[in-house]
Amino acid sequence: MTRRFYEYSHRVTFSDTNVVGNVYFASYLAWQGACRELFLADHAPGVVKRLDDDLALVTVSCACDYLAELSAFDRVSVRMTLSALEDNRVTMGFDYYRTGGGPALLAARGTQTIACMTRTPSGLTPAAIPDDLLLALRPYA
């Protein structure tokens, strides 16, 4: 059975690459952020609204393993799944596929963990994962 994923499609530009011509390592992490944010916009708009109020989603860790090179003008499918929920933390998995021109090629695999926090006058404090985020994430477990 294939696991359900949220997909962010990206076309690599020269701004994503380094002087050698392949995709710069930090670009993969930027794509994780874009995928996560677009997921929120598409599936948890209430969470997005709360970000202007009291909610903070703090990235506490991220990682990426690079398996194949990507270059300018490659098409990339960044596929996000839910890896874990623990207390106020959400861990997502990311698979990066080069698409177009034949079978998709797994180019990288990454993870990212965010902590749900509430802004208070004395600083950030841990907060429960919002119900609308839990509901939105459920199909991707």
Side-chain angles (χ1 to χ4, degrees):
M1 181 174 150
T2 302
R3 194 170 179 190
R4 186 170 173 196
F5 54 84
Y6 177 81
E7 183 175 30
Y8 162 64
S9 296
H10 181 77
R11 186 142 186 215
V12 177
T13 65
F14 289 126
S15 68
D16 296 315
T17 63
N18 59 27
V19 70
V20 178
N22 57 11
V23 171
Y24 188 62
F25 75 94
S27 295
Y28 293 83
L29 300 179
W31 301 340
Q32 281 185 16
C35 186
R36 178 190 74 190
E37 291 164 10
L38 292 170
F39 172 82
L40 291 173
D42 290 346
H43 297 287
V47 171
V48 175
K49 287 180 184 168
R50 280 196 57 201
L51 293 173
D52 287 334
D53 188 20
D54 64 335
L55 182 66
L57 300 178
V58 179
T59 303
V60 295
S61 69
C62 60
C64 193
D65 295 323
Y66 308 98
L67 308 171
E69 287 189 339
L70 296 173
S71 301
F73 308 113
D74 281 343
R75 294 188 184 277
V76 181
S77 167
V78 181
R79 300 172 184 180
M80 183 184 80
T81 57
L82 175 63
S83 296
L85 295 171
E86 187 175 342
D87 298 322
N88 69 323
R89 294 181 179 215
V90 177
T91 301
M92 298 150 286
F94 295 87
D95 290 333
Y96 303 76
Y97 286 90
R98 183 172 56 214
T99 58
L105 171 71
L106 182 62
R109 181 166 278 149
T111 61
Q112 183 178 123
T113 299
I114 61 167
C116 297
M117 308 291 280
T118 301
R119 290 185 197 92
T120 67
S122 59
L124 293 175
T125 59
I129 300 168
D131 289 339
D132 47 346
L133 180 55
L134 288 170
L135 186 63
L137 288 169
R138 186 174 297 143
Y140 301 93

